[in-house]
Amino acid sequence: MTEAGIFVGGGGEGYGAPQELLLKYGNRHGLVAGATGTGKTVTLQILAEGFSAAGVPVFLADVKSDLAGLAVAGSAEAKLHDAFMKRCATIGYELTYQAFPVAFWDLFGEQGHPIRTTVTEMGPLLLSRLMDLSEAQEGVLNIAFRLADQEGLPLLDLKDLQAMLVWIGQNAAEIGLRYGNVASATVGAIQRQLLVLENQGGTRLFGEPALDLADMMRLAPDGRGQVNILAADKLMASPRLYATFLLWLLSELFEELPEVGDPDKPKFVFFFDEAHLLFDDAPKALVDKVEQVARLIRSKGVGVFFITQNPADVPDDILGQLGNRVQHALRAFTAKDQKDLARAAQNYRPNPAFDTETAIKEVGTGEAVTSFLQNKGVPGIVERTLVRPPASQLGPITPEERRAVIAATGLGYKYDQTIDRDSAFERLQARAEAAAQAAAEAEAAEERLAADERARKESRRYEGRSRRGSSRSDSIATAFGKSLARQLGTKTGQAIVRGILGSLFKSR
């Protein structure tokens, strides 16, 4: 690396002309393209080394575990050492092996510090893309976010979102009057997609502590920029999750960083490997968002480099904003391949010394067709360039070396333990429990009132019966007395009385 730029390799006749990426144009974005096995990963590695050495933090995804070698210095005992020295002599570069300040991150928390965001920070647009929702389902998801904000229900993790959707389903009639129809089938479809996301490992992406971008933009004590490496070998099994997460991170950089104009060097550089995953079957709204971020984020001092096999993987509106280009070999076996090759060649400023299309087909491994922005941001003339060897280790590192690097970052205390604070799930659960308790108390009160009413009715019936029985007995006794009095006035009545009295005395 020179004071003004990053030495990428030697070009021109005999590969003796230095080809440099000027630091002041590092935020004008870039493209690294080429077929599998042509050297894209090494180019990505040396660009990361160059930016780090210039004091610029970078972020990159390690899809094949090859880029972890940035944390360890290369070695003269490595089998490619002699080939590296020969190449350095050809291009006029003095290679000094060294390690770089690396922080390992991992969505699953296995090969690096856990990296998380909240559901709210991800937002309904990216979540809809992540879950492949229909337009109607995305509409309901937007309603969920709006209501969560109005009701004071923080959406931090997936169970918060699931609880919110259940609440919406239970109150669909009332909500529908304000925001339009909310069908239970639509809510159920979103819940099923959330289940798929959980099975892909999305549960670990959402939660707290959420990523603090400042922890990715640190400088080492010697002034070199931190190289943030995302372990993506396992993550690539869920390509939509991988692409959406990287787009979220890029969007966070855009939203949080202040405007800096055109600095002397970037504040941060973001490498988007396997970039085609971002655009495959992407809705127009998402592509428009990527285009907007790519166009405006340069004023935040952020450079974005897309790494993909074919430049045709990147939409034209975005491709036109990529000023620094490294094109490794492209294969052209089919008519479509030939068309893509011709299209790729047209994106370079011609060099009268060779045909660009032919050069793209002929460059070998570790060689590329390059074009970097020059003074005043003018694209440089295309050159066949022999890419310099990396100063760090080429290839993966051992698990022991990885653990040592993870421990040395000092970030474990902040990210290794999950925090589950009071949020939508807990608050809606508390509401449901309070409502259930109130309902139970109301039901018990109702039962007590009913029991009291039954008791009063029973009491009234009993008292009525007692009064009616006494009156009847009194009337019988009165009638008997009157009859007896009448009978005593006759001989027959007197005889009856004497008989009764006689019986009584005999019994005694």
Side-chain angles (χ1 to χ4, degrees):
M1 188 197 79
T2 67
E3 184 179 353
I6 298 171
F7 182 83
V8 176
E13 180 138 4
Y15 301 111
Q19 300 300 305
E20 295 183 339
L21 191 161
L22 298 181
L23 285 172
K24 64 180 179 179
Y25 296 125
N27 65 333
R28 300 293 183 91
H29 310 325
L31 174 73
V32 179
T36 301
T38 56
K40 295 193 302 296
T41 301
V42 174
T43 297
L44 173 55
Q45 185 168 343
I46 66 164
L47 289 176
E49 289 180 354
F51 281 116
S52 175
V56 180
V58 303
F59 173 90
L60 50 89
D62 192 2
V63 175
K64 297 176 290 186
S65 298
D66 291 343
L67 294 169
L70 279 158
V72 178
S75 171
E77 284 73 40
K79 64 179 182 179
L80 291 176
H81 173 71
D82 292 340
F84 285 173
M85 292 299 104
K86 182 178 179 182
R87 176 170 295 195
C88 287
T90 301
I91 62 179
Y93 179 72
E94 184 177 347
L95 179 63
T96 302
Y97 289 123
Q98 60 176 311
F100 289 81
V102 166
F104 287 113
W105 303 90
D106 185 1
L107 205 70
F108 303 102
E110 298 170 355
Q111 301 182 68
H113 300 295
I115 186 168
R116 308 179 190 89
T117 183
T118 65
V119 171
T120 298
E121 288 177 343
M122 179 68 75
L125 175 63
L126 291 182
L127 268 175
S128 298
R129 163 64 172 164
L130 183 57
M131 295 189 290
D132 196 23
L133 300 185
S134 67
E135 186 176 343
Q137 293 162 358
E138 184 179 348
V140 172
L141 195 62
N142 275 280
I143 292 173
F145 274 76
R146 172 68 65 86
L147 288 173
D149 184 57
Q150 292 177 348
E151 297 285 332
L153 300 170
L155 299 177
L156 304 180
D157 51 29
L158 289 186
K159 72 176 187 294
D160 288 330
L161 182 55
Q162 289 166 338
M164 192 69 205
L165 289 168
V166 169
W167 183 81
I168 287 175
Q170 293 170 341
N171 298 274
E174 180 184 348
I175 293 169
L177 294 175
R178 296 169 58 193
Y179 298 103
N181 182 45
V182 178
S184 58
T186 302
V187 175
I190 300 174
Q191 293 281 36
R192 287 192 294 274
Q193 290 301 103
L194 281 173
L195 180 60
V196 173
L197 180 57
E198 283 184 350
N199 293 337
Q200 292 177 345
T203 305
R204 302 192 186 187
L205 170 60
F206 297 101
E208 289 186 318
L211 175 68
D212 182 355
L213 289 179
D215 290 327
M216 282 193 170
M217 302 183 72
R218 304 191 305 175
L219 299 180
D222 60 4
R224 292 182 298 169
Q226 177 174 283
V227 179
N228 300 279
I229 301 178
L230 175 70
D233 50 345
K234 183 177 178 181
L235 184 59
M236 288 303 295
S238 305
R240 193 180 293 271
L241 180 60
Y242 167 81
T244 306
F245 167 74
L246 292 189
L247 181 55
W248 164 79
L249 184 56
L250 189 60
S251 300
E252 285 294 293
L253 289 166
F254 172 67
E255 292 173 6
E256 292 192 17
L257 296 182
E259 296 278 343
V260 295
D262 282 321
D264 293 334
K265 62 182 180 182
K267 300 295 182 184
F268 193 79
V269 172
F270 188 99
F271 292 96
F272 206 130
D273 201 1
E274 300 294 341
H276 67 280
L277 296 175
L278 179 59
F279 304 108
D280 287 349
D281 302 321
K284 186 178 185 303
L286 188 66
V287 176
D288 290 344
K289 182 177 180 64
V290 178
E291 181 188 350
Q292 179 193 40
V293 171
R295 185 175 65 253
L296 300 177
I297 202 171
R298 54 173 281 192
S299 64
K300 306 292 185 85
V302 177
V304 183
F305 284 73
F306 293 92
I307 295 89
T308 188
Q309 292 193 13
N310 196 317
D313 296 333
V314 182
D316 288 340
D317 290 340
I318 297 172
L319 192 64
Q321 300 178 47
L322 310 182
N324 301 295
R325 303 191 179 196
V326 180
Q327 176 67 65
H328 290 275
L330 281 179
R331 314 304 180 201
F333 300 114
T334 67
K336 183 181 182 303
D337 292 339
Q338 293 170 3
K339 183 179 179 180
D340 289 342
L341 175 60
R343 181 184 170 194
Q346 292 169 3
N347 289 318
Y348 290 91
R349 184 178 167 188
N351 188 329
F354 60 86
D355 177 68
T356 305
E357 185 174 341
T358 302
I360 293 175
K361 287 192 296 185
E362 292 180 350
V363 289
T365 301
E367 188 181 5
V369 171
T370 63
S371 174
F372 302 107
L373 294 178
Q374 297 179 338
N375 290 329
K376 298 184 179 180
V378 177
I381 294 175
V382 65
E383 290 285 0
R384 290 185 65 152
T385 301
L386 200 58
V387 178
R388 77 160 175 87
S392 54
Q393 178 175 301
L394 186 64
I397 61 177
T398 66
E400 293 76 17
E401 290 171 327
R402 181 183 289 270
R403 284 193 291 269
V405 172
I406 293 172
T409 61
L411 294 170
Y413 79 94
K414 186 173 182 179
Y415 293 106
D416 288 356
Q417 296 298 320
T418 304
I419 298 173
D420 188 12
R421 66 181 175 94
D422 183 58
S423 54
F425 175 80
E426 288 79 12
R427 295 182 188 184
L428 287 172
Q429 189 177 53
R431 286 188 189 182
E433 290 173 355
Q437 183 177 356
E441 290 175 354
E443 185 178 354
E446 226 177 89
E447 289 180 356
R448 285 196 299 271
L449 288 173
D452 291 345
E453 183 65 23
R454 287 195 300 271
R456 282 195 296 272
K457 289 180 178 178
E458 286 291 331
S459 176
R460 284 197 298 271
R461 282 200 301 271
Y462 178 76
E463 289 173 359
R465 287 175 182 173
S466 298
R467 285 194 297 270
R468 287 195 300 272
S470 299
S471 176
R472 185 178 177 189
S473 299
D474 292 345
S475 62
I476 292 173
T478 302
F480 178 75
K482 290 179 178 179
S483 175
L484 181 60
R486 286 195 302 269
Q487 292 298 327
L488 286 175
T490 64
K491 293 181 179 180
T492 305
Q494 294 172 358
I496 292 172
V497 171
R498 284 195 298 268
I500 293 171
L501 292 173
S503 299
L504 288 172
F505 282 113
K506 285 181 180 179
S507 63
R508 295 180 65 185

